[in-house]
Amino acid sequence: MTITRNDFPDGFVFGVATSSYQIEGAAREDGRGPSIWDTFCREPGRIRDASNGDVACDHYHRWPGDLDLIRGLGADAYRFSVAWPRIQPDGKGRVNSAGLDFYERLVDGMLERGLEPHATLYHWDLPQALQDAGGWVSRDTAFHFAEYAHVVAGRLGDRVVSYATLNEPWCSSILSYQIGEHAPGLRDRRLALAAAHHLLLGHGEAVAAMRGLVREAGLGIVLNLQPAYPASDRGEDVAAARLADGTFNRWFLDPLLRAEYPEDIWEAYGADVPEVQPGDLARIAQPTDFLGVNYYSRSVNGASGNVRPAGSSYTQMGWEVYPQGLTDLLVRLKGDYPDLPPLFITENGAAYPDEPSGDRVHDPERVRYFQAHLEAVARAARQGVDVRGYFAWSLMDNFEWAYGYTRRFGLVYVDYETQARVLKDSARWYRALLTGQPSDVPVAADD
Ligand code: GBH
């Protein structure tokens, strides 16, 4: 049985998502300043195929056609991100109105096509000038971010349905300053935790700066959440799962939704914990209107490291396909956080090595992935979770960060030689779900 819109609550919004650096290209046009990803991509060994986002999907020039594609899928909404260095090439002060013009055209283009614009203000492309001054390790960056948010909201205002301040602060702090896989590529836990705190503070400051300029119910943040399961019910495995959950999920959820850092993890971090000034947590935890959840996989934790359950299937990223984790996560958020705002699934998707065959791209694993995860969202909704929308990651294949162009997450295939877009079977399947029209794409039965 394939799912239909009727399996979801009334008014549930279906969309697709992208981010600026991953699709736009036009890295030096119309006054855009350099970002930390422009710099990082030029450092040898950082990006698998030594590529960068200079051209990417050339969306900066092809956006009308891309919006037509989204409309053609029958989507209600489009989640995109705004590139800070297009708006403020130096990260602060001087505003580049050509940058604002681009996003204004884009948003108006969505409205003309009946698509709800959902903006994300920071999907990792920090202006390089701010990195030169310390990046997110510097507390000042939080206030610069709020200034930038105020500028964007001042121009786009209530034409945008929702504004998310940050995409996945775990990635822009831990993955970027501690693990070193993302820009700026540092390896220092103390710096990473300072960055995380300043990102959260920047979120709070931005929310305060934007209220009054944007629609009611239009402000929130997006977290990447990954439920952590113990490999067995042995005490040490349970403790390992609790630690993983704490560093990955609670470190961000608790300040935002309870105005406190989780005590167990605060202790585990010892001297690396950030300096928290009086008032910071109240600022961070001020009420917002929604929480965006990006879900890709779970972790399974044992005392001596992560476990890869046998019998599971894995995407090309090596991430386990585990749809029930999404139901569990949503139900748990509702149970653990009394002040939880309405939820949106702001990203969910999978990479597989797609190849065109004739004029089609057959991606049965991705079809199956989307179907199973949408069923998981519907189950959570039936269990009383207030979840209001789902955005597939991603509209089209794009620059997959440290993996360059070697991983394809799109519903739409991109030929990077010609910039041709080809609907994969998953796009045809999604279109059938969204429009209620039949599709010729077979869906494998559940195991
Ligand atoms: C998102 O981040 C980004 O927002 C988006 O830009 C990106 O293109 C997309 O995902 C695809 O990568 O190894 O099983 O423990 C993803 C954040 C954090 C998700 C780490 C997977 C590890 C899973 N990722 N997580 S596992």
Side-chain angles (χ1 to χ4, degrees):
M1 263 299 285
T2 183
I3 41 168
T4 71
R5 277 192 186 252
N6 293 329
D7 295 308
F8 296 86
D10 286 346
F12 192 88
V13 168
F14 288 91
V16 293
T18 64
S19 88
S20 47
Y21 190 72
Q22 294 182 272
I23 64 165
E24 284 178 358
R28 277 170 282 274
E29 275 176 61
D30 293 343
R32 177 188 179 279
S35 85
I36 56 174
W37 275 92
D38 298 301
T39 307
F40 189 68
C41 290
R42 275 160 186 82
E43 294 174 16
R46 295 298 198 180
I47 312 297
R48 268 186 199 211
D49 55 2
S51 66
N52 57 57
D54 281 3
V55 177
C57 306
D58 194 32
H59 172 76
Y60 191 80
H61 301 113
R62 293 168 194 265
W63 64 267
D66 290 338
L67 294 185
D68 290 343
L69 262 179
I70 300 171
R71 185 63 209 144
L73 293 176
D76 310 309
Y78 174 40
R79 173 176 179 247
F80 66 104
S81 84
V82 177
W84 187 349
R86 288 198 193 280
I87 309 300
Q88 289 178 296
D90 311 310
K92 57 180 179 175
R94 186 173 64 87
V95 172
N96 173 38
S97 63
L100 285 167
D101 294 344
F102 171 69
Y103 294 105
E104 187 165 60
R105 287 194 297 274
L106 187 67
V107 164
D108 289 342
M110 289 178 226
L111 296 173
E112 279 162 25
R113 290 166 180 81
L115 293 167
E116 289 184 5
H118 292 257
T120 298
L121 294 174
Y122 184 69
H123 202 125
W124 311 346
D125 38 3
L126 187 74
Q128 180 61 39
L130 294 184
Q131 191 63 48
D132 296 341
W136 289 105
V137 175
S138 164
R139 188 175 166 94
D140 293 343
T141 301
F143 300 95
H144 298 319
F145 178 65
E147 179 190 310
Y148 151 68
H150 186 264
V151 168
V152 176
R155 175 72 84 94
L156 301 180
D158 62 7
R159 282 177 279 177
V160 166
V161 169
S162 83
Y163 290 87
T165 53
L166 308 175
N167 180 68
E168 304 189 342
W170 180 88
C171 289
S172 32
S173 57
I174 307 297
L175 193 60
S176 304
Y177 288 80
Q178 178 182 335
I179 298 173
E181 186 180 317
H182 281 187
L186 305 183
R187 291 176 178 270
D188 182 318
R189 190 171 74 175
R190 192 181 57 83
L191 298 184
L193 295 175
H197 184 66
H198 297 145
L199 279 154
L200 289 170
L201 182 63
H203 155 78
E205 291 296 331
V207 167
M210 289 190 291
R211 281 275 181 226
L213 294 176
V214 306
R215 285 197 203 195
E216 250 175 74
L219 289 173
I221 188 170
V222 171
L223 300 180
N224 55 308
L225 299 175
Q226 179 167 310
Y229 297 77
S232 78
D233 46 24
R234 296 209 328 264
E236 67 242 58
D237 292 353
V238 172
R242 177 139 187 90
L243 183 66
D245 179 59
T247 57
F248 208 88
N249 303 319
R250 287 183 288 122
W251 193 258
F252 296 90
L253 287 166
D254 286 15
L256 289 163
L257 297 171
R258 285 199 229 273
E260 63 190 21
Y261 279 108
E263 229 174 82
D264 56 336
I265 308 302
W266 187 272
E267 266 166 40
Y269 279 148
D272 290 344
V273 295
E275 187 196 328
V276 177
Q277 295 189 9
D280 283 3
L281 283 161
R283 199 60 152 167
I284 291 168
Q286 70 189 283
T288 57
D289 309 312
F290 68 89
L291 172 66
V293 174
N294 291 355
Y295 178 83
Y296 288 90
S297 188
R298 66 163 172 176
S299 66
V300 181
N301 303 270
S304 45
N306 274 18
V307 174
R308 286 166 63 89
S312 283
S313 68
Y314 293 84
T315 71
Q316 198 189 2
M317 301 299 285
W319 303 343
E320 185 191 1
V321 178
Y322 193 70
Q324 180 59 30
L326 180 50
T327 309
D328 293 350
L329 169 67
L330 298 178
V331 169
R332 173 263 178 121
L333 289 174
K334 175 181 160 72
D336 282 1
Y337 295 97
D339 295 329
L340 188 71
L343 303 176
F344 285 82
I345 308 306
T346 34
E347 286 179 30
N348 173 240
Y352 291 104
D354 306 306
E355 288 287 350
S357 73
D359 58 354
R360 296 290 288 260
V361 179
H362 300 300
D363 58 344
E365 297 104 327
R366 186 175 292 101
V367 170
R368 205 181 149 98
Y369 183 98
F370 281 130
Q371 155 100 13
H373 286 79
L374 278 162
E375 282 171 355
V377 175
R379 278 199 298 282
R382 284 196 296 275
Q383 291 174 48
V385 177
D386 184 2
V387 52
R388 301 193 179 179
Y390 175 95
F391 293 82
W393 184 269
S394 180
L395 165 64
M396 58 187 159
D397 298 335
N398 57 49
F399 176 74
E400 177 52 28
W401 307 114
Y403 290 84
Y405 298 97
T406 69
R407 294 291 182 278
R408 296 180 176 271
F409 274 90
L411 288 162
V412 175
Y413 182 90
V414 176
D415 177 334
Y416 294 109
E417 300 283 308
T418 62
Q419 291 293 347
R421 278 83 161 125
V422 180
L423 299 198
K424 300 179 192 177
D425 282 358
S426 54
R428 294 166 177 268
W429 174 86
Y430 200 47
R431 180 177 63 190
L433 166 66
L434 270 42
T435 60
Q437 273 151 27
S439 99
D440 57 359
V441 177
V443 183
D446 285 346
D447 292 327

